[in-house]
Each structure stands twice: as C-alpha cells, then as structure tokens.
Amino acid sequence: MVLGADRRPVAYAARVLALGAAAAALLAGCSDDPAPDAGGTPSPSAPAGSTGATSAPIPTASTPSLTPLPTPSKPWPTPKVTGTPDDDAPLANRIRFAIAKQVQVAAGRAATTKVTCPGIDDADQPGTHTLTCTVTYAGETFTGQLTVEAKQYSATYKFTSESVAVVKPKVVDAVQRAASGAAKVTCTMDDVTVVKHTAQGIACDVTTVENAVQPYRARISGNGQVLVAKA
C-alpha cells in the first residue's frame, strides 16, 4: 500500500532527530564553562599594584629615666688623724706628724702616711732650714719643700708642694654636689690619686636622670679643696 510505505520513512527520520538531540545534550553537560545561572559569587580582583600586605607605624622606644643620686646633706668629713706626738717631743717628730696630718686631711681620708725629710733632725738649730721632703700616702708618693725658721726656744715651719693626694670618693662627692640631676658620676682616677693643683684637674662624666652625659672638671687645691666646673 502506498500509505504504509510512506509511514516507514517518517518514523526513521524521527529516530535520527531524537539521537541528535541526545548527543547535543551530552556535549553541553561536559562543557568547562560555568553556567550563567550557577549561583556562585565571583571573587573581587585585587587593585593594580597591591601586594596584599598592610603596613603599621614602628613604635619608637622611649628613653628610660634614671634614678637621681641622693644629694649630700653634710660637708665631706674631716678625717681623724691619730698619733699626735707629745708637746715636748723632738721638733723633727712634731714636724713629720704635722705634714702627715696635713696630707691626710687634704686627701679626705686617714691612711698610712710616711714623711721623710733628710736633715730634719738638725732643723732645731737656730737659723733657716730648707729641706726637700718625700711623702708617701696610701702607697702614692710625691715631694714637697719644708722651710723651718728655728730660734733658741721656738721654731716655725711650713710645708708646700705642687702635688696633692686625694681619694676618689671625695672627688665624686664634690662633682655630685655641683651637678644637678646627677644619676651617675664617673671620674678618670684611681681610688687614690696624686695630682698637681696647678694642672687641668680630674675629668669626670655626669650621667643625668634624662640619660644624657655631661663632662666636668674637678681641680684640687693645695689644701685639698675640690673645685668643680663644667668642661
């Protein structure tokens, strides 16, 4: 029949179209591109030149304040020198002790002191006697001049020297009194130092409570007075 022959080709064509549509759907499912309506939120892009790191100001370390030294409330004490000879002791003994006492008082501390003056045993003879004396105080030695004016029943004497011995604590004490707001005092000297009172003096550094360092000079007079001034 003609009608039956026509139906077979139509059914075959329909099956071919169905297979083509299924293949197209399979290809669409294997695509790498995301679907427009996938629902994901795209990540924002970083601005150009940005490294992603944040910077913060570096804190500046503050300078710690130092504790001030206590202000001395009393003058530097006069050392007590022992061994005073009797009034009727030989003149040479009395002179040697007087020089030793003078040296210890100027230094600021009692210590073993030896005085050697060649010819002093004859200084009680009437007349003027000029002698060179060697003084050893706490192991430190210096020289000076001794002048004796002797009469028949009396005598006067004077000892002078360009040098003077001084102990370190006495110098530090004087600098501390002169420098306000001192937290530390450092002087370039030994515990016992012999200096010329005509020289520049002893160099000292004062560290203030603000942690600043200021230079000072301590000059020692012939009688042991410490004169302090900024360098």
Side-chain angles (χ1 to χ4, degrees), residues 41-92:
T41 303
S43 59
S45 59
S50 173
T51 62
T54 57
S55 62
I58 300 175
T60 302
S62 58
T63 302
S65 297
L66 302 178
T67 303
L69 293 171
T71 302
S73 58
K74 298 180 180 179
W76 185 259
T78 301
K80 295 180 179 180
V81 181
T82 60
T84 304
D86 296 334
D87 293 340
D88 58 352
L91 178 63

Side-chain angles (χ1 to χ4, degrees), residues 76-82 101 103-111 137 170:
W76 185 259
T78 301
K80 295 180 179 180
V81 181
T82 60
K101 181 178 181 178
V103 169
Q104 293 176 70
V105 170
R109 185 172 65 197
Y137 168 81
K170 181 178 180 179

Side-chain angles (χ1 to χ4, degrees), residues 29-190:
C30 295
S31 174
D32 291 334
D33 296 332
D37 57 348
T41 303
S43 59
S45 59
S50 173
T51 62
T54 57
S55 62
I58 300 175
T60 302
S62 58
T63 302
S65 297
L66 302 178
T67 303
L69 293 171
T71 302
S73 58
K74 298 180 180 179
W76 185 259
T78 301
K80 295 180 179 180
V81 181
T82 60
T84 304
D86 296 334
D87 293 340
D88 58 352
L91 178 63
N93 292 351
R94 286 182 280 138
I95 293 177
R96 278 191 287 260
F97 174 80
I99 296 174
K101 181 178 181 178
Q102 177 183 332
V103 169
Q104 293 176 70
V105 170
R109 185 172 65 197
T112 302
T113 306
K114 183 179 180 181
V115 180
T116 303
C117 307
I120 193 174
D121 291 331
D122 298 327
D124 56 351
Q125 300 297 321
T128 300
H129 306 270
T130 302
L131 309 174
T132 298
C133 299
T134 300
V135 179
T136 302
Y137 168 81
E140 300 294 331
T141 301
F142 61 97
T143 61
Q145 296 295 319
L146 171 66
T147 302
V148 180
E149 294 288 348
K151 296 180 180 179
Q152 186 173 3
Y153 298 108
S154 64
T156 59
Y157 47 87
K158 181 181 180 181
F159 175 77
T160 60
S161 175
E162 293 184 355
S163 300
V164 59
V166 64
V167 297
K168 188 173 184 177
K170 181 178 180 179
V171 177
V172 171
D173 177 87
V175 175
Q176 183 180 334
R177 295 171 188 270
S180 60
K184 182 180 179 181
V185 177
T186 304
C187 297
T188 54
M189 61 180 296
D190 296 328

